[in-house]
Structure formats: structure tokens, C-alpha cells
Amino acid sequence: MDPRRVLEFYLLAGADESIGETPRNRYAEEGGERRSDRDSAPERAEHARPGSAPSPAHPTPRPIAARAPVPPGGGDETETETDAPVRTAVGLAAASSTLDELHRALESFEDCALKQTATNLVFGDGGPDARVVLIGEAPGADEDRQGVPFVGQSGQLLNRMLASIGLERTDVFISNTVFWRPPGNRNPTTAEIAACLPFVERIVELVDPELLIALGGAAAKSLLGIVESVGQLRRRWLSYSTPRLARPVPTKVTYHPAYLLRSPGQKRAAWHDMIEIKRKLAEL
Ligand code: URA
């Protein structure tokens, strides 16, 4: 078969990264089967993020960093496979007292599998004194190449959305639920999101913004633990808090720019959200 056709097939199937030069049969490796269990377990636990209660009555669940620490050495038979990475992340994030320190801590963090396939860490973009923090879902190919969030097509739209209410990129801090591009732009898994969440929370604490914006359902679910459609969530102001934030941060969920590019009919609603955000900022 023409190798070009094979490559085209791989690309269509979303396999656009070369990870190794020789094939590796992970099923034949010791623990291989367990690994596939591990990969699917977080999916089954999709709506059961530790410490979160996906209920509209509790829009601000306990943040992951506030969970009771697990004693060193384990002893906890119910410990899940995601707990160790999360514990490491919580420790690194808590020990960082500036964004630069947090960035460096993240560079040293090895417990998110996405790091192995990504070209660059995509930490965030913006100033430490930003009035607004925006959290998207995950870096794409352009972001992976440049190491900067929202620089591709959805980034261009996001820039226009911000400009429509008088905000420049330098007025905001932008990051994502995960800091490395998922291969083939697949959705990040629950385990990957959980491992990155303590760093995302710490970004919000360190910037201490007046307002938080979750771009899309994945960001809303990760930050707030709420599983509801963006169409529902965007209709009300929510509030985000962590033990280290001096006060809860008013939070708006709105459509992800990539979704708006696919569904331009929703741009009108997103425009209304931007007006509401502008109004809120004027009040604060
Ligand atoms: N989409 C995201 O969610 N984040 C980015 O950084 C780019 C595109």
C-alpha cells in the first residue's frame, strides 16, 4: 500500500504524533493490562472528582487542594491511581508563591502523561495583576508549537471577544485545564485534568482576579465541579473559592471560542455574556 495513504489514514484517525521509532506492544509488557484498566478507570469516575459535588445547589465545591492530605506511605486502601500525581501537584503548587515559581514547578512535574507527547508546556499568558483569569480546555497544535495558550484560530476569536469589551490580552491571564496538548487533540482524561488542577487553582490564587471566566463545559467542570450544559451555566453568575483566596471570585461560564467557530449561531449569546462581564467589571 502507498505509505502516503497509510499516513493520511493515521492523520484522519487523529494519530498525528510520532512517539517512538519502534513499535511497542504494551499488552505484552508486565502490567500492561493493568495500565489499560488505569486508562479507563478515570473515565468511569468521570463525574466523581474527589471533593466535588456536581449539584447546582453547591456551585462551588471544595477545591482539590483542600482535600485532607493522605498520610505518607499510603495505608489508604481506597487510594486511587490518580491520587499520587494529585498529591505531588498539590505540594508543588502550594509551595509556589509567584507565577514564575509555579511555572518552574510545573516544568519539573512529571506526573501528567500528556507531557510525554507534547512539544511544549503551555503554562499561561498574561500579567500577574490581571483583573480577569480565563481558563480554556487544552492547548491545540499551534499552542503546543509556541508554548502559549490561545494563539490559533480560537485564540484569534478570543482576542476579538476580549477587545469587544475593551480588554487586551495583557489585561487578562489565560490558561487551560491541562498544560500540555493532548495527542491528536483528544479530550483530556479525568486523570490528566485532576493532575493539573492544583496548578490551575494556584494560578487563580496567585493572580487573585476580580473575575474568573470558564471557557466551555470542560473548564466549568474542572474548576467548579458542575456538570451542566454551558447553555444553562452561562445564565447565572457562579462563584469560585479556595481556602487560600481572600474572597470568592465571581465566575462566568461562557462558550468556548472553538465551539463558537463551529456554531456561529451562538455568537450572539456569547456577545451577551461579554456585555455582562463588562458590566460586572465596572461594578467591582
Ligand atoms: N483551545 C483551548 O481550550 N486552549 C487553547 O489554549 C487553545 C485552544
Side-chain angles (χ1 to χ4, degrees):
M1 184 182 274
D2 180 356
R4 244 180 332 197
R5 303 290 305 279
V6 178
L7 278 176
E8 277 165 18
F9 166 77
Y10 282 148
L11 279 173
L12 280 173
D16 61 354
E17 302 283 338
S18 157
I19 296 171
E21 291 195 359
T22 46
R24 195 166 151 187
N25 183 353
R26 293 181 191 274
Y27 289 104
E29 291 171 11
E30 203 187 340
E33 270 187 62
R34 228 176 115 247
R35 173 181 275 274
S36 81
D37 276 354
R38 172 191 297 189
D39 287 347
S40 57
E43 297 308 328
R44 287 196 297 274
E46 182 76 22
H47 302 311
R49 193 191 115 202
S52 71
S55 148
H58 301 285
T60 309
R62 200 158 57 114
I64 209 159
R67 288 189 301 146
V70 179
D76 178 358
E77 313 243 320
T78 63
E79 186 175 13
T80 72
E81 308 245 6
T82 57
D83 279 351
V86 170
R87 246 196 338 266
T88 306
V90 167
L92 286 170
S96 305
S97 46
T98 64
L99 286 175
D100 281 347
E101 279 179 25
L102 189 66
H103 193 166
R104 281 198 295 277
L106 202 43
E107 280 170 342
S108 74
F109 182 59
E110 300 295 336
D111 288 351
C112 179
L114 294 176
K115 186 173 184 175
Q116 289 162 24
T117 48
T119 307
N120 279 304
L121 163 70
V122 182
F123 174 65
D125 187 33
D129 301 321
R131 292 186 75 192
V132 181
V133 167
L134 296 105
I135 303 295
E137 183 174 356
D142 294 313
E143 290 76 20
D144 183 46
R145 260 190 297 275
Q146 297 185 39
V148 181
F150 283 99
V151 289
Q153 253 194 311
S154 28
Q156 304 305 314
L157 178 56
L158 182 60
N159 290 349
R160 291 200 294 277
M161 289 164 74
L162 292 171
S164 75
I165 56 167
L167 292 175
E168 301 277 330
R169 286 280 288 229
T170 45
D171 297 323
V172 300
F173 192 93
I174 307 180
S175 192
N176 283 300
T177 63
V178 294
F179 298 97
W180 296 271
R181 180 198 182 204
N185 287 348
R186 65 160 169 76
N187 294 336
T189 65
T190 304
E192 289 155 358
I193 292 174
C196 292
L197 185 57
F199 295 100
V200 179
E201 288 179 352
R202 194 74 188 123
I203 285 178
V204 182
E205 289 170 355
L206 291 171
V207 177
D208 193 14
E210 291 169 52
L211 216 138
L212 179 63
I213 301 175
L215 296 167
K221 184 173 151 198
S222 170
L223 288 168
L224 303 164
I226 308 178
V227 185
E228 251 181 88
S229 72
V230 175
Q232 290 295 323
L233 290 172
R234 60 173 284 276
R235 291 172 196 275
R236 58 190 197 269
W237 278 98
L238 300 164
S239 132
Y240 178 79
S241 44
T242 77
R244 289 176 140 203
L245 275 169
R247 50 185 167 49
V249 186
T251 302
K252 177 56 104 185
V253 178
T254 188
Y255 292 112
H256 191 289
Y259 172 75
L260 294 175
L261 288 170
R262 291 193 304 273
S263 313
Q266 299 290 1
K267 282 186 181 172
R268 174 192 282 264
W271 164 255
H272 279 288
D273 294 343
M274 296 313 289
I275 301 285
E276 259 201 71
I277 288 165
K278 183 178 183 181
R279 211 174 281 143
K280 189 73 154 187
L281 278 172
E283 280 170 15
L284 294 168

